[in-house]
Amino acid sequence: MPRRILYLLGFEIASVVGILFRPDWGSIYLVLLLITRPQDDRPNMQDLHFPMVMTLALGFSTLLRFTTRSAQIGAAVRAMAVPLAYFFLMVVAAVINGFTPASQSELVTMLMTLVTIVGVLTFIRTPNQLAAFIGTLLVSGLYYVKMTIQNPNFLRSEIQDTTFVRLEFRNMTNFGNPNFLALLMVLLIFVGLGFAVSGQRKLFALPALAAVTGYFYVFLKCQSRGATLALVAGLIVFWFTQKHKALMLVLGTILLGVGLTFFAPETFVARLASITNYSADASLTGRLTLWGDALHTIASHPLTGVGPGNFAYRVSFNSQHQTYLQAASELGVFGLVLLLALYVSSIHSIFVARNMLKSHQHDWRLLRSFGGSLYACLTALFVQGFFTGFAYREFFITMIASGYLCRVIAEEAMAGERKKVPGVPLPGILPGSAIAPGWGAPRLSNRHGAGTAPRLPGPS
């Protein structure tokens, strides 16, 4: 047996032991594996079923702690109700349409993603753990920045008389495609900027900004038109949701100015302008053909679709290149409804979390800033979903579930505050809640008529 396989086997065993003892760090480690997928260019890791073994270890470690973490596990499962329903529909569509290798691949990847995210929602609760989770997302992006600088590969495409050289990693199935890679960089740009300006981890502010510069460099080399539209839409939302608007305007201007001046390919603007002349672009005309095939598939299979991954396997020459048509054609119209529900549920969770912790700005500034970043990320995903198909992708589900993470952290933080101060109810809309004191929450008045808390008896 080669030494490399023995080394990786030993590392696999050590990783399993570590996850069993520290599932909080194990869940973060699995997020890193999901996004970077180092097995794409290391076949030996694939032979050892490395990601699947890590996922099983995290699931088993979570079950071992069911009695002590039952409340957190329950909260995680409830928060993941929509993604779990989405996965159930994927299984139903796969079974009805025949369990093909394409469906199996999509289901296995989704299952691993869901187990990982449930682990994150169960064990990530403190500000330090949240910072570690965000840092892991940023480090996963640096993996691709490193590859771009050290060993770049390029794809040449022509539109009329112009040749465009785009970054592409052909040996990678995860983010080898320039559109997927550019979208990942857009998401991490927002996460990195939010982390840098939150003010809660000042030591890491400059490294985060340096990482954002690297992400923007990779983004420009991809020359993705859809990702550029997603970046613009996300930047608008990001600016409105951040507290330090002047600082964000300065940082954004510097980033765009430096990037477009020194890093952008000469053909970057020309490729964006080619959107208006789609008839000369084989990429765009091919998309229109695929979209037409997808619409015909929806008309012929409206309820169950053709099964996850089966469009390219059975119907057409390629994937739909459109997230919403992908869900509708492969899972049926209910799949499209659940896909849109993923966006709505995540946005609602972020809104609830940010409002819940308004009075705890010092301890949870990072969570509020991260929530603003997620608003921008979801906007970017929604926009690029019209040009790229990622209905089952791990980075999509991870960003959706990050909104749920904000809410479960906020709910537990407020529950902890309630335990520290007996008699103080959680904010809510139920009778007796803090925002509705007249519905049953007692209030005492001093001689000036102002509401005061009851005075506890003390020594005379």
Side-chain angles (χ1 to χ4, degrees):
M1 186 179 291
R3 265 187 208 175
R4 176 175 172 75
I5 295 182
L6 289 174
Y7 168 76
L8 288 174
L9 179 61
F11 180 67
E12 184 176 60
I13 294 172
S15 298
V16 168
V17 173
I19 291 174
L20 291 176
F21 279 96
R22 290 297 303 267
D24 50 345
W25 293 111
S27 61
I28 292 177
Y29 172 56
L30 269 175
V31 170
L32 181 65
L33 279 183
L34 274 177
I35 296 179
T36 58
R37 282 200 203 172
Q39 74 273 15
D40 285 341
D41 55 357
R42 296 181 182 181
N44 297 141
M45 292 185 75
Q46 203 168 30
D47 296 337
L48 292 171
H49 304 287
F50 194 88
M52 179 60 73
V53 171
M54 299 300 104
T55 305
L56 291 173
L58 178 61
F60 184 67
S61 181
T62 303
L63 290 176
L64 287 178
R65 291 163 175 79
F66 184 78
T67 55
T68 58
R69 287 270 186 172
S70 58
Q72 288 86 351
I73 294 174
V77 173
R78 288 192 299 271
M80 291 289 288
V82 180
L84 290 173
Y86 190 61
F87 177 68
F88 176 75
L89 188 60
M90 288 177 64
V91 173
V92 171
V95 171
I96 291 177
N97 291 281
F99 201 65
T100 66
S103 293
Q104 179 182 357
S105 176
E106 298 291 1
L107 290 173
V108 168
T109 301
M110 178 63 81
L111 179 60
M112 291 170 55
T113 302
L114 292 178
V115 172
T116 301
I117 296 303
V118 169
V120 169
L121 294 178
T122 299
F123 297 106
I124 304 304
R125 284 294 188 276
T126 68
N128 287 335
Q129 289 173 332
L130 178 62
F133 173 75
I134 297 172
T136 300
L137 295 177
L138 299 179
V139 169
S140 69
L142 292 177
Y143 173 77
Y144 295 101
V145 175
K146 169 181 172 291
M147 290 188 61
T148 301
I149 295 174
Q150 288 186 343
N151 187 29
N153 293 307
F154 295 98
L155 165 72
R156 293 181 180 273
S157 62
E158 291 190 4
I159 302 177
Q160 290 185 329
D161 298 327
T162 305
T163 300
F164 299 95
V165 181
R166 307 178 64 196
L167 183 68
E168 181 187 52
F169 296 106
R170 294 182 182 87
N171 62 328
M172 300 187 67
T173 59
N174 206 24
F175 291 102
N177 182 286
N179 295 318
F180 284 120
L181 183 58
L183 177 57
L184 177 66
M185 295 300 106
V186 169
L187 301 177
L188 295 180
I189 285 171
F190 296 135
V191 174
L193 285 175
F195 187 79
V197 303
S198 66
Q200 197 163 342
R201 293 293 185 275
K202 296 180 180 179
L203 181 64
F204 299 103
L206 287 179
L209 290 176
V212 168
T213 304
Y215 305 148
F216 193 55
Y217 172 78
V218 177
F219 163 81
L220 290 171
K221 295 300 182 183
C222 291
Q223 296 197 66
S224 172
R225 291 166 292 191
T228 302
L229 296 177
L231 176 65
V232 172
L235 280 173
I236 296 172
V237 173
F238 184 78
W239 187 80
F240 277 107
T241 56
Q242 292 297 323
K243 181 179 180 181
H244 306 287
K245 289 183 171 54
L247 176 61
M248 292 312 308
L249 185 61
V250 171
L251 290 177
T253 302
I254 293 174
L255 180 66
L256 292 173
V258 172
L260 293 174
T261 303
F262 297 103
F263 299 140
E266 294 180 359
T267 56
F268 184 80
V269 176
R271 181 165 172 81
L272 293 181
S274 67
I275 296 177
T276 59
N277 189 20
Y278 68 90
S279 60
D281 186 357
S283 174
L284 288 178
T285 55
R287 269 185 170 84
L288 294 176
T289 300
L290 291 168
W291 294 352
D293 292 343
L295 291 173
H296 286 303
T297 303
I298 296 169
S300 60
H301 300 77
L303 295 180
T304 60
V306 294
N310 285 344
F311 182 83
Y313 188 76
R314 286 178 170 173
V315 177
S316 192
F317 61 92
N318 205 333
S319 62
Q320 300 88 336
H321 284 67
Q322 218 260 28
T323 298
Y324 312 108
L325 291 178
Q326 181 183 14
S329 62
E330 296 186 351
L331 305 180
V333 292
F334 294 112
L336 176 59
V337 170
L338 283 176
L339 178 72
L340 297 176
L342 289 172
Y343 284 108
V344 174
S345 60
S346 184
I347 292 172
H348 177 258
S349 294
I350 299 167
F351 176 79
V352 170
R354 283 165 61 91
N355 281 279
M356 198 177 288
L357 294 176
K358 272 185 176 178
S359 59
H360 298 264
Q361 298 241 356
H362 179 71
D363 294 332
W364 291 108
R365 283 178 296 178
L366 181 59
L367 185 143
R368 289 182 54 78
S369 183
F370 183 47
S373 299
L374 290 176
Y375 279 140
C377 290
L378 294 177
T379 301
L381 285 167
F382 183 78
V383 170
Q384 186 151 351
F386 289 98
F387 312 103
T388 307
F390 48 78
Y392 323 122
R393 289 296 303 270
E394 68 295 312
F395 67 89
F396 171 57
I397 301 299
T398 298
M399 287 299 164
I400 292 291
S402 294
Y404 307 150
L405 176 63
C406 291
R407 182 167 182 170
V408 296
I409 289 176
E411 288 175 345
E412 186 154 310
M414 294 302 292
E417 290 295 321
R418 187 180 183 184
K419 289 179 181 178
K420 291 178 183 178
V421 185
V424 178
L426 287 172
I429 59 173
L430 298 178
S433 67
I435 65 170
W439 288 6
R443 174 174 293 188
L444 301 181
S445 300
N446 58 19
R447 61 181 179 177
H448 301 293
T452 60
R455 186 184 298 273
L456 298 177
S460 56

